[in-house]
């Protein structure tokens, strides 16, 4: 039913973004996948990342046009930082590849590539989550369409907010417990993987951390839109 309210390009865009999100969780779950699968997931993620930019080419072409409101400025900054992080992650990953792309020679020492891949892997995870949250209104709009244009009942909104809050709190706890900030800022050069942890629990904790930053991205988008409207009223 959801597909009937969307245009073909919107369907492809949503499927691409959902695929990227799923692959991102798989990439971060190295203790579950192992090296070979991790590399194949990286290749698939890069292909979807490329398709995502092709589908959004009209947005890229319009970067030099129009006025930059707070909302547009934040969205563009997030997209630029994510592009840089993903490219650095991809190049460093190719430099370290032992199974999928060992024939591609990148003039980058493995020791340097490992540090870049470590930091950019976690930065990409955080930035993708923020980016997803910044566009969460699209999913809310789709839900409204599925309900025939009717808003979510008050009880449903309360439940949704409680669930989102609970997931974000759990994500914050995991973020601190797993010392993710140390990896983001390279305060440590090695990642600790708990290979004894159940694979499902690993994925649940990653999803919770993603939910945390999706919520932060959504709130930032709401704040940016409010600032944009206030700026428009003051002119």
């Amino acid at each position: 039913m959801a597909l009937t309210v969307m245009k073909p390009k919107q369907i492809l865009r949503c499927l691409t973004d959902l695929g990227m999100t799923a692959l991102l969780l798989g990439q971060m779950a190295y203790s579950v996948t192992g090296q070979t699968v991790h590399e194949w997931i990286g290749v698939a993620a890069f292909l979807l990342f490329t398709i995502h930019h092709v589908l959004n080419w009209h947005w890229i072409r319009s970067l030099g046009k129009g006025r930059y409101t707070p909302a547009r400025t934040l969205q563009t900054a997030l997209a630029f930082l994510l592009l840089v992080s993903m490219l650095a992650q991809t190049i460093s990953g190719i430099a370290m590849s032992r199974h999928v792309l060992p024939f591609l020679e990148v003039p980058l020492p493995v020791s340097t590539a490992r540090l870049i891949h470590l930091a950019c892997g976690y930065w990409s995870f955080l930035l993708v989550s923020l980016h997803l949250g910044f566009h969460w209104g699209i999913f809310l709009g789709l839900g409204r369409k599925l309900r025939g244009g009717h808003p979510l009942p008050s009880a449903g909104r309360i439940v949704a907010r409680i669930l989102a809050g609970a997931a974000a709190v759990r994500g914050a706890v995991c973020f601190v417990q797993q010392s993710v900030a140390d990896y983001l800022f390279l305060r440590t050069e090695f990642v600790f993987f708990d290979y004894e942890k159940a694979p499902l629990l690993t994925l649940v904790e990653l999803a919770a951390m993603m939910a945390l930053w999706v919520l932060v991205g959504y709130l930032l988008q709401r704040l940016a839109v409010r600032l944009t409207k206030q700026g428009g009223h003051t002119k």
Side-chain angles (χ1 to χ4, degrees), residues 59 67-80 134 224 228:
W59 181 83
R67 183 171 67 93
Y68 271 79
T69 63
R72 187 184 183 194
T73 300
L74 181 57
Q75 178 185 6
T76 304
L78 278 175
F80 175 75
F134 204 82
T228 298

Side-chain angles (χ1 to χ4, degrees), residues 83-181:
L83 175 64
V84 172
S85 182
M86 288 289 286
L87 289 177
Q89 183 183 0
T90 300
I91 293 171
S92 60
I94 293 173
M96 295 188 301
S97 178
R98 301 198 305 266
H99 304 283
V100 179
L101 301 172
F103 53 88
L104 294 180
E105 296 183 3
V106 177
L108 186 67
V110 174
S111 58
T112 302
R114 183 175 57 79
L115 292 178
I116 293 174
H117 200 70
L118 167 60
C120 289
Y122 281 93
W123 274 114
S124 295
F125 178 76
L126 189 151
L127 290 168
V128 165
S129 302
L130 286 173
H131 185 73
L132 183 60
F134 204 82
H135 295 279
W136 198 251
I138 296 175
F139 298 98
L140 295 178
L142 177 59
R144 182 182 288 268
K145 285 183 179 180
L146 292 175
R147 295 190 300 271
H150 301 294
L152 194 67
S154 57
R157 289 197 299 271
I158 293 174
V159 171
R161 289 170 181 172
I162 291 175
L163 292 176
V169 169
R170 177 58 179 167
V173 172
C174 293
F175 189 87
V176 173
Q177 287 181 339
Q178 298 181 25
S179 303
V180 175

Side-chain angles (χ1 to χ4, degrees), residues 25-40:
L25 290 174
Q27 278 184 299
M28 301 304 295
Y30 183 88
S31 61
V32 176
T33 64
Q35 180 66 30
T36 302
V37 175
H38 178 77
E39 290 187 22
W40 278 114

